Amino acid sequence: MKVLIAEDNALERQLLQWAVESLGHECTATADGREAWRLYQEHGADVVISDWLMPSMDGQELCTAIRGRAMSSRYTYFLFLTGLADKLKVIEAMRGGADDYLVKPLNVDDLSARLLVAARVKWLEERRYQQHAGGLRPR
Amino acid sequence: MGQRIPGDPVGAGADLDHAALDEIRRLQVAGQPDIVAAVAALFADDGVRQIQQLSAAIVAHDGPALRVAAHTLKGSAAAVGARELQAVCQRLEQIGLADTVDGADELVTTLDAAFARTCAALERLTALGAEAG
């Protein structure tokens, strides 16, 4: 899958990128939400993994922008990065359109599990799209 | 903090949580430069910048800026398992969250010392990795 990371902390961003790539995904990483939004509009992404607190455009604004795109565009699975102390924000984030969250510091198994679910959701969405387009006939 | 790290018989990383470092080592790609060395360099470079931003925020009496700088450094500390540094950053973040810098100045000395100890522990682990490699 194509994964886009928005994380302003250079060390955490690098570790996350290494982890995503180690799981066999294509990855682009950026330090702020506005740049992530630009990259998303330009290249798209199957999955966005975003920090909450970032300069210029925070994670929630990025999520809102992505969910505000035309309904005809393909679904993007949105994962928030959050600290343990910020877990109360998770429900707020899910209401705002996020699909799931990852607790910092990064755990590779947790990331792997989330990306497996993301791949399944993307597969279901792709199948539904093809059925709708007549590419697959329902049984 | 203070736990012996597997593969670290002399306790070079005694100031760090081994679980965080083990997680980082899982990302090591065979044939590529030592990942702990790369992380140590990134942590030190970025950490110095984050401490500068944090100090500037205190001087400017800018609570929100203190909160952001402390939050960022806290993330780096958590990533390498530097629990002591993480705890000081947490306290500074809480001060900034209250939209003040009151009491932050007194914590900077503790912060500097914890940061220096973390860098030294990572350097020792890097040297140990180089010797083993």
Side-chain angles (χ1 to χ4, degrees):
Chain A
M1 292 187 293
K2 266 171 77 170
V3 179
L4 175 63
I5 293 169
E7 164 62 80
D8 62 327
N9 182 307
L11 176 59
E12 291 180 284
R13 183 171 66 250
Q14 182 62 80
L15 288 170
L16 187 54
Q17 180 164 8
W18 281 333
V20 167
E21 287 171 351
S22 79
L23 294 168
H25 302 286
E26 187 187 327
C27 185
T28 305
T30 180
D32 75 85
R34 194 167 299 285
E35 177 65 4
W37 174 231
R38 189 190 68 75
L39 288 168
Y40 179 84
Q41 287 177 296
E42 215 164 287
H43 306 290
D46 297 310
V47 180
V48 172
I49 305 176
S50 176
D51 192 16
W52 189 285
L53 199 61
M54 288 185 295
S56 75
M57 184 184 212
D58 67 24
Q60 196 157 28
E61 287 169 333
L62 176 63
C63 184
T64 302
I66 288 172
R67 290 291 178 252
R69 296 232 328 163
M71 290 301 285
S72 58
S73 64
R74 295 299 179 83
Y75 192 72
T76 297
Y77 198 84
F78 198 101
L79 277 167
F80 259 115
L81 287 165
T82 178
L84 268 177
D86 304 322
K87 277 186 84 174
L88 283 176
K89 286 183 179 170
V90 165
I91 302 296
E92 190 185 333
M94 305 286 245
R95 285 202 181 104
D99 295 292
D100 207 342
Y101 66 97
L102 278 165
V103 176
K104 296 187 197 181
L106 175 69
N107 177 283
V108 182
D109 292 331
D110 287 346
L111 174 68
S112 179
R114 263 50 171 212
L115 291 180
L116 283 170
V117 173
R120 187 171 302 136
V121 168
K122 287 293 295 179
W123 179 80
L124 286 167
E125 189 257 351
E126 183 67 22
R127 200 172 70 154
R128 190 179 63 88
Y129 179 85
Q130 286 182 4
Q131 281 176 343
H132 188 70
L136 279 178
R137 293 181 191 285
R139 290 179 187 176
Chain B
M1 204 177 74
Q3 297 170 64
R4 187 59 56 88
I5 298 171
D8 174 18
V10 296
D15 287 312
L16 305 174
D17 178 350
H18 70 88
L21 290 165
D22 286 347
E23 203 59 26
I24 289 170
R25 286 196 180 95
R26 287 179 66 184
L27 303 174
Q28 177 71 52
V29 176
Q32 292 295 308
D34 177 30
I35 197 165
V36 175
V39 165
L42 201 49
F43 175 85
D45 290 349
D46 225 37
V48 167
R49 197 164 33 250
Q50 287 155 3
I51 289 176
Q52 283 169 351
Q53 286 171 356
L54 191 144
S55 300
I58 294 171
V59 170
H61 293 276
D62 187 341
L66 171 64
R67 179 203 168 198
V68 170
H71 178 82
T72 307
L73 186 55
K74 187 181 76 174
S76 298
V80 298
R83 300 287 173 242
E84 183 192 4
L85 180 61
Q86 192 182 342
V88 185
C89 290
Q90 172 78 39
R91 289 170 66 189
L92 285 161
E93 187 182 0
Q94 288 302 317
I95 291 172
L97 197 59
D99 204 9
T100 180
V101 298
D102 293 347
D105 220 12
E106 291 83 347
L107 288 172
V108 170
T109 311
T110 314
L111 179 84
D112 285 341
F115 178 70
R117 272 197 295 278
T118 304
C119 289
L122 286 169
E123 276 173 26
R124 287 194 299 272
L125 283 173
T126 300
L128 201 68
E131 281 172 25

